[in-house]
Amino acid sequence: MADLYPVPPQAQASSPSRVTSLEAYASLCRAIAADPDAWWVAEARRRLAWADPPTRGLDGSFHDVVDSPVAWFADGRLDVTASCLDRHLATRGDKPAIVWEGDEPGTTRTLTYRELHAEVCRTANALAALGLRKGDRAILYMGMVPEAAIAMLACARLGAIHSVVFGGFSAEALRDRVLDCGAELVITQDEGRRGGRSIPLKATTDEALAGLTEVRHVLVLRHTGAEVGWQAGRDVWWHEAVAPAAPTHEGVICEAEDPLFILYTSGSTGRPKGLVHTRGGYLAWTSFTHELVFDLREDDVYACVADVGWITGHSYIVYGPLCNGATTLMFESTPLHPDPGRYWDLVERHGVTVFYTAPTAIRTLAAAGDHHVTAHDLSSLRVLGTVGEPINPEAWRWYHEVVGQGRCAVVDTWWQTETGGMMIAPLASATPTKPGSATLPLPTVQATIVDAQDRVLRGPGQGRLCLTEPWPGVARTVWGDHARYVATYFSQHPPWYFTGDGCRRDADGYHWITGRVDDVLNVSGHRIGTAEIEAALVTVDAVAEAAVVGFPHDVKGQGVMAFVVLQPGEQGGSTLEASLQQACRTGIGAHARVDRLQLVPGLPKTRSGKVMRRILRKVAEGDVSSLGDTSTLADPGVVDVILADAGLSR
Ligand code: WT7
């Protein structure tokens, strides 16, 4: 087949992985399927350092998820950081654990496993002194500094539950999350740095916490040295609390199913929900997938350039790589600072072997010109990963040919905040690839495609992607709202987990993710709910109603289009546009922007008042040739005005 790329010899040769062919992959899948409990118990015992090794695999099932979440390794007990740190000290004490590259090229810092262990212990002692106990929640609102990973691990070591809030979120969004999870502690820094700019993290934290007495302490890392506001009694400097603390700490032993972290993500309705990931299963799944997909080798320099504020940063900068004893790079800057050669400069200077980024960055860099890539020595690279949104074949080929010089394995990894780790992805050492396809489900993953009538598609076909059997990394619940978890993921194609994604399977059994089929947008790899943007837009006084849809965007994957109905007597113009953008920035964060705005006299609604987004989506796509029947709308005339104003005709 012309579009099938064989596994590059370099990715296959001398692989330490057990899996160097499609046959070996298939036989691993069969071995697990034959007895998933036994296989996973053995795997988890081997892979993690347990205080009490588990004897049980999966408890519960997706059938029973209404009554109780599934559990993995339920009788096992562990300190997650013993797997990520302590047990590496004897063999990897002097190996770099975290290599940090700051916003300005060449600003670097390396923490060996021994140093990282000591810092995590100090921080755990400091957090304990501030009153953080097992089961308590701590919010982290930080940039990409090593202390973000240290703080996550220190919380984990205490048995506390961390919730990292991406540093681009607004004060309002931060406050919502603090309240939702009942955090008593917030960890932040004076300022973040990104792309030559400062991000006022402490000032935003102060705004978010104004009037809240529930948060007893704010631990503040000094990073840029900027002046910050200070609330005596509440605020504590990191260097004053952590530096003098003891560099040893006895990790708190937790149940495998105790929560490790909460991570908020957007859905098709309502406010973001806090997905709960637990300790044993999550760590086993991230460690397994990180090793298998990237074909991890002991001397790899592994760089995932995501942000710790998203699940990719949790699973594949911090937990998976550290559990595997890898050297993981943390990158504070952007692909464009100071120029579009920054990633490749990073690869060259650090000798990166495995590089993991998002399609939106690949498209941006491809557009900037090949000379930014070819100016650098990229011979260290072996595996190139992508995640976050569908990658178009042109971008895939550019990544493969220009960045990978045709000799690297490209792994397009499909997964979600909810899945904890990768689910459908090639194995760098084993799976022939096709540009644009995430290829095959990982061993253990049972992927099924159904049509809207819930019929299972066998063989080639396109429909909605479901996962039929629990895997160790699945999020167990939504924090404080298990009913919402069940309603969101298990009510559409029960008893299966519905991903929200569309998927096509070809004649070779390869999977092609077609994007969300719900009202979730994926803008530059950032997940945003249309409902969240609408809620922000209607906070503007002049706005009566708003409906938001996505449209295909060359670089961002999807752009945001807003249809806005103004209050009587109000007018459009640059002032209105500025206040709409500001409302998104205030309500959500700087990453939520309206790309296109259309003022409309009304929204197309059914007689029962439901907005027909299908019609708006067609308008946003600029193709209304197949609008279908609009005569059942409450006011069919509205559509004609919208089309005329958009310059479209049916
Ligand atoms: C959604 C999940 C997984 C970490 C980053 C995003 C889309 C993710 C791919 C891919 C096509 C992808 C899906 C998914 N997505 N990876 N390789 N190919 N689509 O996590 O914010 O939870 O978003 O991202 O639509 O449902 P997230």
Side-chain angles (χ1 to χ4, degrees), residues 70-123:
V70 301
W72 281 88
F73 318 124
D75 62 345
R77 300 172 74 238
L78 77 170
D79 158 20
V80 155
T81 67
S83 296
C84 296
L85 302 169
D86 301 60
R87 58 122 166 219
H88 298 313
L89 296 182
T91 51
R92 299 181 174 115
D94 296 321
K95 176 175 177 174
I98 294 180
V99 175
W100 177 77
E101 164 104 4
D103 195 37
E104 295 312 318
T107 344
T108 69
R109 212 177 125 192
T110 298
L111 288 149
T112 64
Y113 271 95
R114 201 179 319 287
E115 290 163 341
L116 181 61
H117 175 263
E119 282 313 302
V120 169
C121 287
R122 280 201 181 89
T123 309

Side-chain angles (χ1 to χ4, degrees), residues 311-312 388-390 412-417 501 516 522 527:
I311 191 71
T312 309
E389 44 173 326
D412 171 7
T413 64
W414 175 85
W415 57 293
Q416 310 178 297
T417 303
D501 277 314
R516 302 288 306 198
N522 194 328
R527 182 165 157 179

Side-chain angles (χ1 to χ4, degrees), residues 418-590:
E418 294 85 345
T419 69
M422 301 167 186
M423 299 296 284
I424 303 182
L427 310 192
S429 58
T431 315
T433 47
K434 300 183 189 186
S437 170
T439 75
L440 303 167
L442 294 180
T444 308
V445 174
Q446 303 299 322
T448 289
I449 301 175
V450 300
D451 65 15
Q453 285 71 46
D454 222 16
R455 284 183 301 241
V456 174
L457 303 180
R458 317 244 169 234
Q462 182 166 334
R464 300 151 69 98
L465 180 64
C466 292
L467 304 166
T468 65
E469 293 295 330
W471 61 99
V474 62
R476 306 295 196 253
T477 189
V478 167
W479 181 259
D481 198 350
H482 190 64
R484 189 166 175 208
Y485 172 80
V486 174
T488 308
Y489 305 108
F490 296 93
S491 68
Q492 327 221 10
H493 301 284
W496 298 338
Y497 170 89
F498 175 49
T499 62
D501 277 314
C503 182
R504 179 169 70 82
R505 190 170 46 215
D506 70 17
D508 296 323
Y510 274 44
H511 292 71
W512 303 73
I513 305 295
T514 54
R516 302 288 306 198
V517 297
D518 55 12
D519 293 321
V520 172
L521 303 181
N522 194 328
V523 181
S524 299
H526 293 164
R527 182 165 157 179
I528 310 174
T530 51
E532 285 171 74
I533 305 180
E534 289 161 4
L537 295 175
V538 298
T539 62
V540 175
D541 285 340
V543 174
E545 263 190 305
V548 166
V549 297
F551 65 92
H553 188 285
D554 283 349
V555 171
K556 302 204 254 185
Q558 269 188 311
V560 175
M561 177 154 189
F563 294 87
V564 168
V565 184
L566 295 181
Q567 299 282 8
E570 296 289 347
Q571 271 177 17
S574 56
T575 316
L576 173 78
E577 282 183 34
S579 38
L580 293 176
Q581 299 294 13
Q582 187 53 44
C584 292
R585 180 180 276 271
T586 309
I588 306 167

Side-chain angles (χ1 to χ4, degrees), residues 231-298:
Q231 186 172 316
R234 185 194 71 177
D235 298 351
V236 178
W237 280 114
W238 177 291
H239 57 270
E240 288 176 5
V242 173
T248 54
H249 175 270
E250 197 165 324
V252 174
I253 305 301
C254 296
E255 306 292 323
E257 282 297 332
D258 284 340
L260 173 61
F261 65 85
I262 300 168
L263 188 58
Y264 287 85
T265 193
S266 300
S268 43
T269 56
R271 310 182 89 76
K273 45 195 176 298
L275 273 313
V276 177
H277 283 286
T278 59
R279 292 173 189 254
Y282 171 79
L283 197 63
W285 188 247
T286 52
S287 149
F288 171 72
T289 50
H290 178 254
E291 184 181 314
L292 199 68
V293 170
F294 295 127
D295 183 26
L296 191 71
R297 302 172 189 202
E298 187 59 44

